[in-house]
Amino acid sequence: MTSSTAAPGADYADTASAAYRAALQVIETVEPRIAAATRKELADQRDSLKLIASENYASPAVLLTMGTWLSDKYAEGTIGHRFYAGCQNVDVVESVAAEHARELFGAPYAYAQPHSGIDANLVAFWAILATRVEAPGLAELGAKHVNDLSEADWESLRNKLGNQRLMGMSLDAGGHLTHGFRPNISGKMFHQRSYGTDPETGLLDYDALAAAAREFKPLILVGGYSAYPRRVDFAKLREIADEVGATLMVDMAHFAGLVAGKVFTGDEDPVPHAHVTTTTTHKSLRGPRGGLVLAQPEYSDAVDKGCPMVLGGPLSHVMAAKAVALAEARQPSFQAYAQRVADNAKSLAEGFLKRGARLVTGGTDNHIVLLDVTSFGLTGRQAESALLDAGVVTNRNSIPADPNGAWYTSGIRFGTPALTTRGFGAAEFDRVAELVVDVLQNTQPNSTGPTGFSKAKYTLADGTAERVHAASAEMLAANPLYPGLTL
Ligand code: PLP
């Protein structure tokens, strides 16, 4: 394991290079277009400033682990109780992944099967319902195809499950779709109310949250976020949950790496406070695409039935890669990485603020920086596209009380996990802020008439993209992705 500031893998780069060359040669013999797209993806990732807060670069060890015959095995069920014969090696894989997760996060129980973050949340919802609600049979509704369920059917389903209530962070304050919003099952199954942030400061208002919870009395209080640039006091959320009889479920998908790396400890570490904690494994945690559920003992039996209750058969090759990534995250070098992720976000935020930009909450103390682009006269959509033209990969995001709605938006979300993996430090992130401001200052919304402006079309001043590309190319070359890996 490397202790340098670059991604893990530098110390076995020659072996990994040989493995990838051989793998691509094999793929090429069957479908050359897939081999070509795979090579091109590496080149593209190497050549762009990846600032998407939910992305990272997994190590070659993690990536290679996914390409094996473990993929070929069916293993529905749980460790030692499978619906298929011959699962002895999958049992080992799942046990090792769960053991690393328990040790890393100090959790009494870990479930390594969820295929993604949404699936992990689905397991958590069903486990909480199964543990806390006496649900009568759902057979009649289960006989219909889910797409054929009418609003009345959904109402009936909610009634059968006891009209349960769920409260999570509002989307425009930074919550996630799975925290009770209509396009997701969580918003169909539950009566939902959301909590927001203080309109002045943009910070979570725990008193308002407690008052809303007292009034609404949710069965499930969801903590966690996708775009909130601050730390959360999970001890306080647990106090509120206990007071109103709610189960506290925390979705730490975004900041699991900061928990694993001991940047968030005490009241900021959700695991000891939440009844059920869910996460993805591929964001700041830097593992394969997938999910995990951690639970207190009273929920573990129900979580363990995630497959086949709401999940398809486990992806054994991905569980194996989770085990490898979690082993990496237990190394001291991962704690240093996580601290740099947070330090770099501060540097990026300060870089924006000193150049006059406005940030939601005025800064950051996690891995996310949320820039309000209205002061540049742009929508999030225009800013996102102009930045992409200049090789800066971000995503547009709503801001609280967003005047441009959820499609065009008024914000750009930045995250530091990926470029920190490449070795970027505070100076590079300050330079990133300078380049972003350069692009935004040189982008104009297109006019649609005497007083109107397009929310999508824009013009980037000549020479801007080239200037920013050249500056970022220097930083990217100095901090190579997968150093020593040649195809
Ligand atoms: N939970 C949170 C907080 C997220 O931000 C995301 C994804 O962005 C998810 C869940 C969903 O994860 P996945 O895409 O792996 O299903």
Side-chain angles (χ1 to χ4, degrees):
M1 189 70 48
T2 178
S3 59
S4 80
T5 56
D11 44 359
Y12 55 79
D14 286 348
T15 317
S17 299
Y20 280 115
R21 269 184 241 126
L24 286 163
Q25 265 175 26
V26 171
I27 296 165
E28 225 151 37
T29 62
V30 181
E31 178 45 285
R33 290 174 297 179
I34 295 300
T38 307
R39 286 177 201 281
K40 177 76 168 36
E41 180 61 25
L42 177 60
D44 289 352
Q45 295 214 18
R46 280 180 156 162
D47 288 349
S48 57
L49 276 181
K50 173 150 69 165
L51 288 154
I52 292 186
S54 48
E55 293 187 7
N56 211 328
Y57 305 106
S59 72
V62 169
L63 299 177
L64 284 165
T65 306
M66 282 187 279
T68 77
W69 32 88
L70 282 168
S71 169
D72 296 334
K73 189 75 197 93
Y74 243 115
E76 275 176 5
T78 190
I79 302 167
H81 294 276
R82 308 281 181 184
F83 291 87
Y84 289 81
C87 295
Q88 60 282 0
N89 300 310
V90 179
D91 280 350
V92 172
V93 164
E94 185 170 349
S95 302
V96 174
E99 176 196 302
H100 279 310
R102 286 194 308 270
E103 294 291 325
L104 177 63
F105 292 111
Y109 169 81
Y111 185 59
Q113 290 196 24
H115 309 150
S116 72
I118 287 190
D119 287 6
N121 287 347
L122 209 48
V123 171
F125 294 142
W126 277 105
I128 295 167
L129 286 170
T131 304
R132 295 206 44 200
V133 178
E134 296 213 353
L138 302 171
E140 321 87 82
L141 289 179
K144 281 193 185 176
H145 188 281
V146 72
N147 290 339
D148 297 332
L149 294 184
S150 65
E151 274 308 311
D153 288 336
W154 283 110
E155 187 60 31
S156 158
L157 194 54
R158 277 191 288 271
N159 287 334
K160 281 179 196 295
L161 288 171
N163 256 320
Q164 300 304 331
R165 298 171 177 199
L166 176 143
M167 193 167 141
M169 192 182 227
S170 69
L171 273 183
D172 73 349
H176 188 257
L177 279 176
T178 53
H179 300 177
F181 298 96
R182 297 303 279 176
N184 179 257
I185 187 81
S186 59
K188 301 264 191 207
M189 287 287 303
F190 295 101
H191 292 291
Q192 185 269 359
R193 183 179 292 185
S194 42
Y195 55 85
T197 46
D198 181 274
E200 293 290 308
T201 61
L203 298 173
L204 255 181
D205 179 343
Y206 294 95
D207 291 337
L209 197 164
R214 272 180 216 121
E215 193 186 290
F216 188 59
K217 295 207 174 14
L219 177 82
I220 306 177
L221 175 63
V222 183
Y225 52 78
S226 296
Y228 180 65
R230 295 290 177 177
R231 301 185 186 194
V232 173
D233 183 338
F234 293 108
K236 226 175 236 171
L237 289 194
R238 175 59 187 262
E239 242 173 66
I240 296 169
D242 284 348
E243 188 194 325
V244 302
T247 295
L248 178 62
M249 168 184 158
V250 174
D251 177 352
M252 64 170 183
H254 252 268
F255 53 91
L258 299 185
V259 178
K262 313 288 178 233
V263 175
F264 291 180
T265 56
D267 294 350
E268 295 166 359
D269 175 355
V271 180
H273 302 295
H275 297 93
V276 182
T277 305
T278 60
T279 185
T280 55
T281 45
H282 48 271
K283 303 184 205 277
S284 55
L285 195 52
R286 206 161 69 182
R289 305 198 74 77
L292 280 179
V293 180
L294 310 172
Q296 298 301 330
E298 64 270 34
Y299 290 91
S300 61
D301 279 355
V303 170
D304 214 33
K305 297 192 174 67
C307 168
M309 176 57 93
V310 291
L311 295 177
L315 310 176
S316 304
H317 56 309
V318 182
M319 289 198 295
K322 286 175 197 172
V324 172
L326 292 164
E328 288 178 350
R330 292 182 67 190
Q331 301 291 324
S333 58
F334 193 85
Q335 295 190 10
Y337 162 71
Q339 188 58 54
R340 284 199 311 278
V341 166
D343 294 346
N344 284 341
K346 278 216 162 15
S347 173
L348 180 65
E350 281 158 18
F352 283 135
L353 292 171
K354 77 183 183 203
R355 293 175 177 92
R358 194 189 94 78
L359 300 179
V360 173
T361 78
T364 178
D365 47 31
N366 57 18
H367 62 296
I368 294 172
V369 175
L370 190 55
L371 176 66
D372 175 354
V373 295
T374 55
S375 60
F376 294 93
L378 300 170
T379 63
R381 174 136 182 225
Q382 288 162 326
E384 176 192 80
S385 303
L387 287 166
L388 189 63
D389 292 344
V392 184
V393 188
T394 63
N395 66 288
R396 66 186 187 278
N397 212 100
S398 299
I399 62 172
D402 200 307
N404 288 314
W407 177 249
Y408 292 107
T409 82
S410 302
I412 292 287
R413 185 184 67 164
F414 297 87
T416 52
L419 290 180
T420 302
T421 292
R422 281 185 82 135
F424 276 47
E428 286 86 356
F429 273 99
D430 179 62
R431 181 90 169 109
V432 168
E434 186 185 348
L435 298 178
V436 168
V437 170
D438 184 358
V439 172
L440 300 182
Q441 282 176 340
N442 284 291
T443 305
Q444 297 291 330
N446 287 0
S447 162
T448 54
T451 53
F453 292 97
S454 169
K455 287 188 171 195
K457 300 209 167 105
Y458 62 94
T459 304
L460 183 60
D462 285 349
T464 309
E466 294 73 10
R467 185 168 67 245
V468 171
H469 266 295
S472 43
E474 260 176 47
M475 283 192 286
L476 292 168
N479 297 280
L481 174 59
Y482 302 127
L485 189 94
T486 54
L487 296 186

